[in-house]
Amino acid sequence: MAEAVTPPRIRPHLGRDEWLMGGGLLVLALYLAVTLLIPLVIMLAKSLEDRQGVFVGLSNFAQYFSNPARSGAVGNSLWVSALATLIVIALAFGYAYALTRSCIPFQGLFRLVAMAPLLAPSLLSAIALIYLFGNQGIFKGWLFGESIYGPIGIVIGSVFWTFPHALIILITALSSADARLYEASESLGATRWRTFITVTLPGARYGLISATFVVFTLVITDFGVPKVIGGQFNMLATDIYKQVVGQQNFQMGAVVSLILLLPAVLAFFVERWAQTRQSSAVSSRAVHYQPKPRPGRDWALLGLVSVVAMLILGILGMAAFASLAKLWPYNLSLTLSHYDFSNADGGSWTSYGNSIRLALYTAFFGSLIVFAGAYLVEKSRVAQPLRTATHLLALIPMAVPGMVLGLAYIFFFNAPGNPLNFLYGSMTILVLATIAHFYTVSHLTALTALKQLDPEFESVSASLKTPFYRTFWRVTTPMCLPAILDIGIYFFINAMTTVSAVVFLYSPDTTLASVAVLNMDDAGDTAPAAAMAMLIVLTAGVVRLLHTGLSHWLHRHTQAWRR
Amino acid sequence: MADPYLRIRNLSKRFGEFTALDDVSIDIHQGEFVCFLGPSGCGKTTLLRAISGLDIQTHGTVEQNGRDISALPPAKRDFGIVFQSYALFQNLTVARNIAYGLENRKQPKAAIQQRVKDLLELIGLPDSGHKYPSQLSGGQQQRVALARALAISPGLLLLDEPLSALDAKVRVYLRDEIKALQRRLGITTIMITHDQEEAISMADRIVVMRDGRIEQVGTPLEIYHQPASLFVAEFIGAMNLLPATLVRQGEIQLGQTRLACKINGFAAGAAVHAAVRPEDVVCTGRTNGHANSFQAEVQDMEFMGPFFWLSLGGGELGEHRLRAQVSSQQARELDLQLRDAMHLHIPAEHIRLFPNGYPHG
C-alpha cells in the first residue's frame, strides 16, 4: 500500500458574518483594554515609581509599611470589614431564612423594604447615623460615651447598605432547597436542629461563602461611609482619597490601591468558585420545598424580620426627616428649603441634572455595549482565543474597587501624551468609568440570558443565508429584552448612587449628586447633603417602579410567545 | 455511474491532541438518503458540521455538485439544516419562522406568502401559521423546523438527530413522514442518528462510524446481514457472539457441537467469534430433525408480546449462552416451558465468523 499523503491543512475562508463578528470582538476587546486593562497596568507601574517618574522598585511599599500611622489603615480596614460582614451575614441569613423557609406574613413587603438600601448611596446611612447618634443626635446617650465617629459608625453604616447584597445571594441559596432531603431527614427521625445542621446549612454553604466575600469586599472598598462618619479613623479607601486629593501623592495612592486590590481579587476568585458550586449543587429533578406553618419558629422569625425592617426604615426615615427639618435639633418644623441648594457649599441642582444625564448615558450605552459584547463572546463562531480573552477582560471589574479604577483613570487619561487626554474632565470619562466599574455583573446577566437561547440559532441563520446581525436584531434581542432592561436599570441606579470611581474624575462642569452629598457633608451642610441623598433615593425608586411597570408591559405585549 | 453529488475526501478534524475525525472519505449521490450512525463520540456530528461549514475540518476536501466548498463559511454553502432542539425562533410565529430564509432574498411578499402556505400544507399544518412554536407539540415543531429548512430549496438537507427529542410514538410516525417527504422532493439528505432502528428504516445507505472512522458503508440490508466487523455486528440489531474454534474450513466447534458455516479466510485451529442473530436460531422442538443442530436447555423466557426471548444454555452448548427469538405462535405450538430441552438449528449461511480478541466497545 502506498504511503498516505496528508492533504494540506484547510484554511477556512471568512464570510462577511465572520469578518463582522471578528471585527466586533476586536473592537470590544480594544474598548475593554482602553477603559480597563491599560489604566490598571499603568497604575501598577506608577506604584513602582517615585514622584519624578523614576523606577524605584518596591520602595514605595516599604515606605508605606514602615509608617505605622499609615499602615495601621490595613489592620483597621480588615477588622472593621470583618465585623461588619459577620453582622450582615448573621442578620441576612435570618432574614432570608424567614422569607424562604417560614410562613410569616407580608413576605413581599419585607423583601421590598430590605432592598431599599440599594436605591441609596452608601453615604446616606452615615448621614442618618450622624443625626441619630452624632454630637447633636437624639440617641447619643445610647452609645455610653463612645463616639459614632469612628469604627462604630462605619460598621453600622456598612451593615445598612450591604445588607441587601447579602440578602439577594442568601435568598437564592436558600430557595433552591430540595424538599426530598427534608422528607428523608424527617422520616429518619432527625430533630429539627439536626436537620438544620445537616441539610439546610450545607445546602446554603456556597451562598454563605459567596455572600461573605461579596460583603467583605463591598465594605473594605467602600469610601462613602468611612469618609462621612469615620472621623480620624483611618481606612484604606479613605487613605487613597487623602493621598490623592489631599496630598496630591499619586504614587502613594497607587500603592494603597494595590493593597486594596488584594482582598478584592481574593474575594473575586472565591466568589466565582462558590458560584459554580452552587449552581451544580441542585439537580434538575429537585422538588421545591414548601414550608409548613410552625408558630414558634414563625413568630420568632417575624420578630427578627420586623426589627431589621424597622431599622432600615428608621435610617431611611431619619435621612428623609433630616432633609426636611428646618434646623436640627432645635427647630423641627418641616421645610423644603434644604432642597434649594443655592446656599449649600458643594452641591446644586446642576449636580443632580448631571447625575441624571450620567445615569441615562450609562444605562443606554452600557446595556448596548454589554449586551452586544456578551453576544459576540457567547455566540460568534470565530476567533476563540479572542472570545476567551474578552470574557476574562469583562470579569476584571468585579475585582477592582471603584477608588482603584478612578485613580487608574487619572493616571491613564491625564497622561500628557495620551491622545484621549481630551476626555479628562468630561462627562464621557464619567460614563466610561461607570460602565467599566459595573461591567461584570451586567456581562454575566447578559450571558445567562443568552445561554438560555438555543445554541443553534446562529447555525440555522447561517444555513438560511441570513446575516447574523439580522437574527441578532429580530430574534436574539427581542428574546433577551427583559434581561437587557435589567442591565439598563442596574447601570442607571448604580450610576446615580456611586461615589468611589467618579470622585476622582468629576470636574467643575460635571459635578454629580452623589459627590455633592459628600462635599456638602464635608463642608458642614449636612441637611442639604441629606436632601441630595434623598433626591437620589427618590429618583432611583421612581425609576425602579417604572422598570417594574415596563417589565410587566413587556411581558404582556412583546413576550406573548412565552405563553 | 454519475458523479457523486457530495464528494468527501480524506476528511480529518483534530481538537488539539484529540482526533475527532480520521481520514474519512465517502461519496453521496443525488437524491440519496444517507444516515451517519454510531455511538456518541464516533465523529458523526463532527462530520456533519464539517459538511455544513459550521465547524470546518482541519484536513481534507468536500465537493458539492462539482464545487469545492472545503473552506467556505456556512452562509456560502447550499444546505438546509434541522437540529434535535428544533432551534425555532420562539418569538416569531410559525409562518415567520418558515419565511425567515425567504425574507432575506428580496422576493415579493405575495410569493413568500404563497411559498409559506405551500410548505405548511406540505408538513400537514395548514392552519398553524399564526401560532407561536411553544403552542405546538414537539413533533409539530420539528415539522416546522423542516419546513423552514426546505423553504430556501436547498440542494442538501442535513438532519442532526431530528427525532431524538420526541416520544417513541411520534418518532415512528415522523420517521415515515420525513422519509416520504424526502422521496417526494428527491432532495439529497444526510441524517445523523445513534438509533440503529431509525437508520435501518429510513436510509438508502448507512455509514456506520466509530472513533472518528468509517466502519462500514452499505444499504440497511447489507449492514444488517453482512456486517463487516464485529463492531458493526454488535452495534446493529441484537447479535449472539459466541467464542468458537475453527476446526477446519467450513466447520466450527461450539461447546460440544460442531456446526457448518460458510467458508471464510481463517486458518484451521483459529479462535473466532461466531455471530448469530437471535431470529436466525430455529427452534425445531424436542426431537432432532435437522443437520447443523444441537440440543440446549431453555434457561429463561421473556415474553415480549409478539415473540419470546429465549435464553439457551447447557446441553451441547455447555457454558455458552445463546439468545433466540421465537414467535409467540411457535412457542404455543411447541408448548415451550422453562427448563425444556430443545433442539436448535442454525443455517450455515447465518453463522458469520469474526476474529477473536477484538476489544468490545
Side-chain angles (χ1 to χ4, degrees):
Chain A
M1 214 173 100
E3 182 95 344
V5 183
T6 316
R9 199 184 167 86
I10 295 290
R11 302 230 157 272
H13 297 192
L14 299 181
R16 190 179 47 177
D17 273 14
E18 287 75 14
W19 278 114
L20 284 172
M21 284 180 169
L25 269 173
L26 198 63
V27 169
L28 178 72
L30 284 176
Y31 171 83
L32 286 173
V34 169
T35 63
L36 193 63
L37 191 64
I38 298 174
L40 288 171
V41 169
I42 287 179
M43 190 191 69
L44 189 75
K46 288 285 174 190
S47 71
L48 305 175
E49 291 174 3
D50 67 9
R51 285 190 176 209
Q52 279 69 47
V54 180
F55 181 79
V56 292
L58 292 173
S59 79
N60 284 333
F61 290 86
Q63 196 193 333
Y64 181 81
F65 282 105
S66 65
N67 182 345
R70 278 180 180 164
S71 56
V74 178
N76 286 348
S77 274
L78 286 177
W79 78 258
V80 162
S81 307
L83 182 61
T85 305
L86 199 71
I87 298 171
V88 168
I89 297 299
L91 289 177
F93 187 82
Y95 208 99
Y97 191 82
L99 291 183
T100 52
R101 302 293 180 82
S102 80
C103 297
I104 62 165
F106 313 120
Q107 296 198 353
L109 182 70
F110 283 124
R111 199 180 284 239
L112 206 65
V113 170
M115 295 301 152
L118 288 179
L119 305 176
S122 60
L123 309 151
L124 177 130
S125 61
I127 291 175
L129 286 175
I130 288 175
Y131 275 90
L132 289 168
F133 302 105
N135 289 334
Q136 296 173 326
I138 23 178
F139 302 121
K140 189 171 179 235
W142 291 20
L143 294 176
F144 304 110
E146 293 290 332
S147 168
I148 193 73
Y149 301 98
I152 299 178
I154 299 174
V155 169
I156 303 177
S158 302
V159 166
F160 171 83
W161 79 269
T162 57
F163 181 77
H165 294 269
L167 187 66
I168 292 170
I169 298 171
L170 292 175
I171 284 180
T172 312
L174 285 170
S175 310
S176 53
D178 189 343
R180 296 173 305 174
L181 289 177
Y182 287 86
E183 283 160 11
S185 179
E186 208 175 316
S187 66
L188 290 169
T191 61
R192 278 165 194 162
W193 175 247
R194 197 168 145 73
T195 304
F196 180 80
I197 293 293
T198 55
V199 180
T200 309
L201 273 186
R205 67 184 182 278
Y206 296 115
L208 278 168
I209 293 171
S210 184
T212 302
F213 277 87
V214 164
V215 170
F216 185 84
T217 312
L218 286 175
V219 176
I220 203 167
T221 59
D222 176 49
F223 156 74
V225 171
K227 177 77 183 70
V228 170
I229 207 168
Q232 295 306 308
F233 190 76
N234 206 9
M235 296 220 354
L236 286 171
T238 40
D239 199 29
I240 300 180
Y241 185 72
K242 262 185 264 170
Q243 298 292 346
V244 173
V245 173
Q247 305 174 11
Q248 298 284 307
N249 187 346
F250 293 96
Q251 280 66 28
M252 205 44 90
V255 167
V256 188
S257 290
L258 282 171
I259 296 168
L260 195 56
L261 207 52
L262 288 179
V265 170
L266 175 72
F268 168 78
F269 283 109
V270 173
E271 212 270 335
R272 298 298 312 158
W273 170 81
Q275 278 290 328
T276 51
R277 289 307 190 84
Q278 179 75 43
S279 50
S280 58
V282 178
S283 79
S284 55
R285 281 210 299 271
V287 180
H288 187 65
Y289 177 79
Q290 288 285 351
K292 298 181 201 69
R294 224 167 60 214
R297 175 201 61 191
D298 290 352
W299 280 110
L301 286 172
L302 183 61
L304 171 81
V305 185
S306 307
V307 169
V308 173
M310 294 300 274
L311 288 174
I312 291 171
L313 289 176
I315 285 185
L316 271 177
M318 187 64 246
F321 186 71
S323 74
L324 295 169
K326 204 164 234 164
L327 186 62
W328 178 272
Y330 310 107
N331 181 352
L332 298 183
S333 59
L334 300 183
T335 170
L336 280 174
S337 65
H338 300 309
Y339 284 82
D340 166 32
F341 304 104
S342 50
N343 297 323
D345 194 0
S348 65
W349 278 94
T350 317
S351 320
Y352 177 74
N354 284 340
S355 267
I356 297 279
R357 275 169 60 214
L358 170 67
L360 285 174
Y361 291 150
T362 306
F364 180 76
F365 292 107
S367 11
L368 199 75
I369 294 168
V370 164
F371 186 71
Y375 174 83
L376 290 172
V377 166
E378 175 66 21
K379 304 285 186 185
S380 62
R381 291 182 294 269
V382 292
Q384 183 58 48
L386 192 57
R387 285 163 59 190
T388 311
T390 313
H391 178 62
L392 291 177
L393 277 175
L395 293 181
I396 292 177
M398 184 109 102
V400 179
M403 305 285 299
V404 177
L405 189 68
L407 186 57
Y409 266 47
I410 297 185
F411 286 131
F412 179 62
F413 286 98
N414 201 25
N418 189 336
L420 295 171
N421 186 276
F422 70 94
L423 291 176
Y424 198 70
S426 69
M427 177 57 91
T428 311
I429 200 173
L430 294 176
V431 175
L432 290 178
T434 312
I435 292 176
H437 188 182
F438 299 104
Y439 201 98
T440 307
V441 173
S442 314
H443 176 70
L444 295 177
T445 308
L447 274 190
T448 309
L450 286 165
K451 277 183 202 292
Q452 285 166 358
L453 302 186
D454 194 303
E456 303 296 2
F457 278 171
E458 283 64 37
S459 307
V460 167
S461 168
S463 81
L464 295 174
K465 318 290 174 278
T466 305
F468 81 96
Y469 48 80
R470 197 173 143 85
T471 304
F472 175 76
W473 182 246
R474 280 199 55 195
V475 179
T476 316
T477 306
M479 288 188 75
C480 291
L481 217 48
I484 296 173
L485 206 59
D486 285 347
I487 295 169
I489 194 82
Y490 172 81
F491 270 127
F492 186 95
I493 289 182
N494 277 303
M496 281 304 290
T497 56
T498 188
V499 188
S500 53
V502 292
V503 76
F504 291 143
L505 300 173
Y506 74 94
S507 70
D509 294 333
T510 57
T511 56
L512 298 172
S514 53
V515 179
V517 177
L518 187 80
N519 289 341
M520 287 190 286
D521 175 78
D522 223 17
D525 289 327
T526 323
M532 190 63 93
M534 281 318 291
L535 270 182
I536 294 173
V537 173
L538 288 175
T539 311
V542 167
V543 168
R544 189 39 99 189
L545 277 178
L546 283 177
H547 168 251
T548 311
L550 197 59
S551 289
H552 274 286
W553 184 86
L554 264 185
H555 265 280
R556 193 120 33 91
H557 291 270
T558 71
Q559 312 283 303
W561 48 271
R562 286 190 204 268
R563 271 198 273 194
Chain B
M1 204 166 193
D3 281 344
Y5 179 72
L6 202 64
R7 188 202 295 266
I8 294 162
R9 286 291 173 274
N10 311 104
L11 226 55
S12 295
K13 173 88 181 174
R14 298 204 174 84
F15 298 102
E17 287 295 292
F18 176 69
T19 303
L21 216 53
D22 190 5
D23 199 29
V24 167
S25 297
I26 182 181
D27 286 340
I28 292 170
H29 296 278
Q30 183 88 47
E32 241 191 331
F33 193 123
V34 175
C35 271
F36 295 170
L37 174 65
S40 59
C42 71
K44 55 189 193 298
T45 304
T46 313
L47 181 53
L48 190 87
R49 291 185 79 86
I51 294 171
S52 65
L54 292 169
D55 279 307
I56 292 175
Q57 71 279 8
T58 29
H59 298 95
T61 56
V62 183
E63 268 177 42
Q64 183 177 7
N65 214 0
R67 184 167 75 118
D68 184 358
I69 58 166
S70 312
L72 295 183
K76 296 232 168 104
R77 301 187 184 203
D78 176 21
F79 70 97
I81 192 163
V82 173
F83 290 100
Q84 179 180 347
S85 62
Y86 327 135
L88 290 177
F89 303 132
Q90 300 290 317
N91 63 324
L92 304 178
T93 60
V94 166
R96 303 301 299 260
N97 263 286
I98 297 176
Y100 200 81
L102 302 168
E103 287 171 354
N104 200 41
R105 308 190 151 190
K106 308 268 184 298
Q107 289 187 10
K109 266 221 166 82
I112 293 179
Q113 273 175 4
Q114 188 54 46
R115 176 92 177 120
V116 169
K117 194 164 164 280
D118 293 347
L119 283 161
L120 280 169
E121 255 157 47
L122 187 72
I123 58 167
L125 295 170
D127 303 320
S128 295
H130 63 280
K131 290 183 183 164
Y132 285 103
S134 62
Q135 294 168 300
L136 302 182
S137 72
Q140 290 171 329
Q141 289 192 53
Q142 197 54 295
R143 280 186 276 167
V144 174
L146 192 62
R148 181 179 64 182
L150 292 172
I152 55 167
S153 310
L156 176 66
L157 180 62
L158 305 176
L159 307 171
D160 184 355
E161 304 233 10
L163 305 174
S164 302
L166 301 169
D167 298 338
K169 272 197 174 157
V170 182
R171 204 182 307 168
V172 173
Y173 167 74
L174 211 53
R175 202 147 85 183
D176 300 342
E177 193 147 305
I178 291 178
K179 183 66 195 156
L181 202 64
Q182 189 267 339
R183 283 229 181 87
R184 210 162 114 201
L185 302 173
I187 182 172
T188 313
T189 302
I190 300 174
M191 179 171 96
I192 67 175
T193 179
H194 61 267
D195 181 340
Q196 34 122 346
E197 206 182 295
E198 212 167 277
I200 288 173
S201 67
M202 294 175 81
D204 297 325
R205 276 197 303 156
I206 296 175
V207 178
V208 183
M209 296 185 67
R210 176 186 191 228
D211 294 341
R213 288 172 166 276
I214 291 181
E215 198 80 3
Q216 186 176 5
V217 181
T219 65
L221 283 171
E222 284 166 356
I223 299 273
Y224 191 80
H225 291 300
Q226 292 143 43
S229 68
L230 194 56
F231 172 80
V232 177
E234 266 196 303
F235 190 71
I236 310 285
M239 183 68 92
N240 288 293
L241 289 171
L242 304 159
T245 317
L246 195 71
V247 189
R248 57 190 167 84
Q249 285 302 326
E251 192 174 64
I252 53 167
Q253 176 88 37
L254 180 69
Q256 287 132 43
T257 185
R258 290 194 174 196
L259 296 172
C261 61
K262 286 190 136 180
I263 310 289
N264 50 70
F266 294 99
V272 293
H273 268 120
V276 179
R277 297 249 177 239
E279 70 269 26
D280 290 336
V281 179
V282 183
C283 197
T284 55
R286 290 176 183 80
T287 51
N288 191 3
H290 276 277
N292 235 25
S293 68
F294 53 91
Q295 199 200 32
E297 191 190 68
V298 179
Q299 298 186 329
D300 196 17
M301 293 175 72
E302 197 181 346
F303 181 52
M304 300 299 290
F307 64 90
F308 279 93
W309 280 119
L310 299 188
S311 184
L312 304 152
E316 286 176 84
L317 268 181
E319 292 302 303
H320 298 304
R321 302 272 279 185
L322 184 69
R323 269 158 79 76
Q325 202 179 330
V326 173
S327 75
S328 296
Q329 187 203 352
Q330 199 199 357
R332 202 164 51 237
E333 281 168 9
L334 292 170
D335 188 26
L336 263 184
Q337 300 292 336
L338 210 59
R339 302 283 153 211
D340 276 358
M342 284 284 139
H343 283 276
L344 302 147
H345 160 64
I346 306 175
E349 68 269 26
H350 290 317
I351 302 176
R352 303 187 62 83
L353 302 185
F354 293 102
N356 200 356
Y358 195 94
H360 285 240

